Amino acid sequence: MAAPSMFRLDGKIALVTGASRGIGRACAEALASQGALVIVHYRSGEDAAKGVEAAIVAKGGKAETCAFDVADTGATETAIEGLIKRHGRLDILVANAGISIDGLLLRLKDDDLDLLFHTNVRGAIVCARAATRSMMRTKRGRVIFVSSVVGETGNGGQTAYAATKAALLGAAKSIAREYASRQITVNVLSPGFIDTDMTSSMTDAQREALVKAVPLGRTGSTADVAAACVYLASDEASYVTGQVLRVNGGMYV
Ligand code: NAP
């Protein structure tokens, strides 16, 4: 007899923010490959998001797209309420959408600081607030925040970005405690240096120096992060909440 397959997500409804490319795209495709219906969220990359939807459907999966700016609280609330109404519920939220703006502290602009916090922190928390309204009713759910290794280690030139990623740890741990009695788990994925558009502007020298700081000796792939996302979203992770799952090649242990 064949062993039952693990980490299946058949029948689950998942929203992945910022799924038009990079880590979000990989998470969306991986969740769909396990049977979830995935809402591929984007802000401006409509063609890219439609491409993700088509790729999922071509492999026999279920997907649809949805656009809103996570930095716009009203638009975020309205869109997620609409999704919950249409599908009847939301089982999984991967709050992945994020931006990075790097620079030394002395040159940090107030507007950039605000944009980073509105997008990376307030955006993720507002998504969680809207999504958990449905999860409270169904008494089950998975919330996954996407933080970063620099939120735990800090990094010169990334004060504001690192602060937003550190903030997600406090938020996730608090929401985990608040909603544990409803069987809603809330965890953090903390990627290290992953090859995506966000990291593509690095020079070869910067990249080389960074890889030297990775004990496993390579940059991470979006698939490395997506595998951890599937685990946290699965029924098999039902006793795991308030945790930080680090996918960083040993950069921070
Ligand atoms: P990416 O390739 O730059 O993709 C970012 C995604 O977020 C896009 O889908 C983008 O949508 C969406 N997005 C950005 N701002 C948005 C907004 N205001 N409202 C809605 N969607 C928005 O980034 P990535 O490298 O995959 O990173 C994904 C997450 O992982 C981020 O939270 C990042 O901080 C974190 N992370 C990345 C790394 C890394 O090495 N790459 C390491 C640690 C953590 P549009 O394209 O439609 O605008």
Side-chain angles (χ1 to χ4, degrees), residues 195-208:
D195 281 314
T196 69
D197 291 349
M198 196 176 266
T199 48
S200 63
S201 61
M202 285 191 158
T203 63
D204 286 349
Q206 284 173 322
R207 182 174 291 271
E208 221 169 273

Side-chain angles (χ1 to χ4, degrees), residues 18-24 41-45 68-71 96-99 119 146-149 161 165 191-194 196-199:
S20 55
R21 53 202 165 91
I23 290 171
H41 161 268
Y42 64 98
R43 176 189 48 176
S44 54
F68 54 88
D69 181 348
V70 297
N96 162 80
I99 54 167
T119 307
V146 180
S147 177
S148 167
V149 64
Y161 176 73
K165 292 298 169 180
F193 181 50
I194 311 297
T196 69
D197 291 349
M198 196 176 266
T199 48

Side-chain angles (χ1 to χ4, degrees), residues 118-141:
H118 288 167
T119 307
N120 294 1
V121 183
R122 200 181 67 187
I125 292 174
V126 168
C127 285
R129 186 175 66 193
T132 50
R133 284 204 184 103
S134 155
M135 296 173 187
M136 298 265 279
R137 283 197 297 274
T138 56
K139 293 199 172 54
R140 65 176 199 218

Side-chain angles (χ1 to χ4, degrees), residues 134-184:
S134 155
M135 296 173 187
M136 298 265 279
R137 283 197 297 274
T138 56
K139 293 199 172 54
R140 65 176 199 218
R142 297 278 182 272
V143 176
I144 300 164
F145 284 130
V146 180
S147 177
S148 167
V149 64
V150 302
E152 298 186 276
T153 62
N155 192 26
Q158 289 197 301
T159 297
Y161 176 73
T164 64
K165 292 298 169 180
L168 292 178
L169 271 59
K173 290 178 186 188
S174 302
I175 305 168
R177 289 180 185 276
E178 212 169 298
Y179 289 160
S181 63
R182 313 285 178 123
Q183 304 307 314
I184 299 168

Side-chain angles (χ1 to χ4, degrees), residues 87-132:
H87 292 287
R89 62 180 207 283
L90 201 56
D91 302 305
I92 299 162
L93 166 70
V94 183
N96 162 80
I99 54 167
S100 66
I101 304 172
D102 299 342
L104 298 173
L105 179 62
L106 279 176
R107 297 201 192 115
L108 179 61
K109 297 189 185 83
D110 288 354
D111 284 351
D112 289 345
L113 192 56
D114 287 348
L115 185 60
L116 274 162
F117 271 87
H118 288 167
T119 307
N120 294 1
V121 183
R122 200 181 67 187
I125 292 174
V126 168
C127 285
R129 186 175 66 193
T132 50

